[in-house]
Amino acid sequence: MARNCLAVVLAAGEGTRMKSAKSKVLHSVGNLPMIAHVVGAAQAAKVDAVSLVVGRDADAVASAANTGLPISTHEQTERLGTAHAVLAAREAIERGFDDILVVFGDTPLITAETLRNARQSLDDGADVVVIGFRTENPHGYGRLIEEDGELVAIREHKDASEEERKITFCNGGMMAIAGNKALKLLDAVGNENAKGEYYLTDIVGLARENGGTVTAIEASAEEVLGVDTRAGLARVEALWQARKRHDLLMAGVTMRAPETVFLSHDTLIEADAVIEPNVVFGPGATVRSGATIHAFSHIEGATVERGCSVGPFARLRPGASLQAGAKVGNFCEVKNAEIGEGAKVNHLTYVGDAEIGAKANIGAGTITCNYDGFNKHRTTIGEGAFVGSNSSLVAPVTIGAQAYVASGSVITRDVPDEALAFGRAQQANKQGLGKKLRERLQADKERREKAGD
């Protein structure tokens, strides 16, 4: 398709029913603002530029929509209908594009395929292309009335005849318009209606009156779902998650209970990875082939290489990088740290701002003490090192290759390669003192109870 295209994204709605301090298009689906989903679909449909029609939070909306395409913003100061909203982008439309796509910033499930199909219909000779959907319950929707393959009218439910109300092909609101006719059609839209607003749907009749061709294409019902409330946002999130899970399953990822796994827009999981129930992926997570993420783990901004094992109940925070065959076990947390090939961080351990060498073994309850109250410091543990349980490694500190750290140690100085480090107080046993202490504590308790303390 050698045609150029402008996407006009309507994003000026107040979204008062969201009951939110921010514009509704900034609310996220799959940890990505809705506006970014819409612009991303337009970009994948090969549009050349995007015009955002904005209201409040204009700068934030423009920032969230930035995918690398040329973007212009146009403020809609009055809310006088959808055609009026599109005309807010008049300056951009006047630059001259072959195709104009009109989409909504609160429809994050719209696909690039549907937008490409709309553009193709323009290329095939249509002047206006309406994106519709089919539903078994069309009550309240505008009906798309077709004759001989053309769209002849969009009839609102209240104005439709009994026969027309049986039509299940409904208006989804989004359109494609031939660029050389867009402004003429939009300027001809009047506001002679009960609300005194300028409706985009009127260009269907206007185009036909001028001898133009109007067609409709079909999208799935979920693609055109708009979000007006938190309940609607939750519904769209559920549909998006189901779509993303299905794509991963079909790509060869195993999920034991897919409905319990939650993904982000950029989650990358390769074939033959295994994801157990109740795993949450925040933004920036990558899981390579052959890795297993056990139940109740949370992964964000982290990379898990081939053959790794994570969890159950593990948390990988941004900057965590597990090399091939590494293991992070139950109730462990890793942040901004590299776990070397075949290394093990088995359980109840915190590793932050650290580098763990290949085949090192970090015992239960080990802590890299990386923060001094003002600055972060790094811990380096060499290849094949063994750190005993319940050890505290006070950074900055280096544990050498093949070194041992005795259980219960507090390590504040570097440990050379192949050395054995003890960093704990000398144990002393006082014969009989335990009995005396117990008797004294028991007596104190009885005195307090007698005094009513």
Side-chain angles (χ1 to χ4, degrees), residues 148 195 325 346 409:
D148 300 323
K195 290 187 176 182
N346 279 317
S409 292

Side-chain angles (χ1 to χ4, degrees), residues 275-295:
I275 313 299
E276 291 187 353
N278 298 294
V279 174
V280 175
F281 292 95
T286 297
V287 179
R288 301 296 183 190
S289 178
T292 298
I293 311 299
H294 294 284

